[in-house]
């Protein structure tokens, strides 16, 4: 089986969904519940809606919407931020995997699945935060979004790799 064939499957044929953390909303749209964490004194549990579109080299995940659950103060900022995110998950065909010497056949080419994410956050600064310097607030918002990516992307790639293995074995 070839990586390109797997990565070009329709979204409905991927079985990487973590049933406890991902809910299918439509043919190619999903709601993802990110593991909660404590940030400063707030309990933050991000919930994101995404669309997945499959291209010739793999799927692209686009954020449709995001909200924060958890503590009441975390939920209070839901109407005060906007976030944009695109994550391209692509396969790449590597080299021959090294030199095969002598009469033995060369090793198969290596295959690599990569994730290239872009995220942008705009946040309305609440009045109570006016005492904090703007760079500190920007850094805090960036850390929250980085935490979301740090949790979601590795989990998704691990599930994708496991699903690819099952697909390659014909399961």
């Amino acid at each position: 089986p070839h990586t390109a064939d797997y990565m070009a499957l329709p979204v409905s044929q991927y079985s990487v969904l973590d049933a406890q953390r991902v809910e299918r909303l439509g043919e190619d749209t999903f709601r993802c519940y990110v593991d909660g964490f404590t940030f400063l004194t707030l309990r933050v549990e991000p919930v994101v809606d995404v669309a997945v579109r499959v291209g010739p080299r793999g799927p692209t995940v686009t954020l449709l919407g995001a909200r924060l659950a958890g503590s009441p103060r975390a939920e209070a900022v839901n109407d005060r931020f906007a976030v944009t995110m695109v994550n391209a998950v692509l396969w790449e065909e590597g080299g021959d995997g090294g030199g095969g010497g002598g009469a033995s056949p060369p090793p198969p080419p290596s295959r690599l699945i990569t994730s290239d994410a872009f995220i942008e956050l705009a946040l309305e600064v609440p009045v109570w935060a006016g005492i904090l310097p703007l760079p500190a607030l920007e850094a805090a918002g960036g850390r929250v979004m980085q935490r979301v990516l740090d949790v979601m992307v590795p989990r998704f790639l691990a599930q994708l790799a496991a699903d690819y293995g099952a697909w390659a074995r014909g399961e």
Side-chain angles (χ1 to χ4, degrees):
H2 196 276
T3 309
D5 297 331
Y6 172 78
M7 294 296 284
L9 289 172
V11 175
S12 61
Q13 292 188 28
Y14 289 135
S15 57
V16 298
L17 300 183
D18 177 350
Q20 296 177 346
R21 292 282 176 219
V22 180
E23 173 185 350
R24 187 181 291 271
L25 300 177
E27 176 76 17
D28 61 359
T29 55
F30 304 88
R31 177 161 292 146
C32 305
Y33 300 89
V34 180
D35 290 337
F37 57 94
T38 301
F39 181 75
L40 299 174
T41 61
L42 305 176
R43 179 69 184 165
V44 179
E45 298 170 7
V47 179
V48 296
D49 293 345
V50 297
V52 180
R53 306 279 190 264
V54 176
R57 291 189 46 226
T60 298
V61 180
T62 304
L63 182 69
L64 300 175
R67 67 180 172 85
L68 300 177
S71 70
R73 287 186 69 188
E75 292 179 14
V77 302
N78 278 326
D79 59 348
R80 298 179 185 256
F81 73 92
V83 62
T84 303
M85 188 272 308
V86 177
N87 182 13
V89 180
L90 305 171
W91 68 271
E92 296 178 11
E93 198 77 52
D96 65 5
S104 62
S110 62
R111 295 183 177 101
L112 181 66
I113 295 177
T114 63
S115 173
D116 185 16
F118 166 81
I119 190 163
E120 183 175 72
L121 173 67
L123 176 65
E124 179 184 323
V125 178
V127 173
W128 59 265
I131 59 172
L132 299 173
L134 189 57
L137 290 172
E138 290 173 340
R143 282 195 300 273
V144 168
M145 296 313 298
Q146 187 63 53
R147 171 72 174 151
V148 171
L149 285 176
D150 288 348
V151 169
M152 288 184 68
V153 172
R155 176 182 289 161
F156 174 75
L157 291 175
Q159 289 173 324
L160 191 66
D163 187 56
Y164 171 77
W167 176 84
R169 291 185 302 274
E171 297 174 6

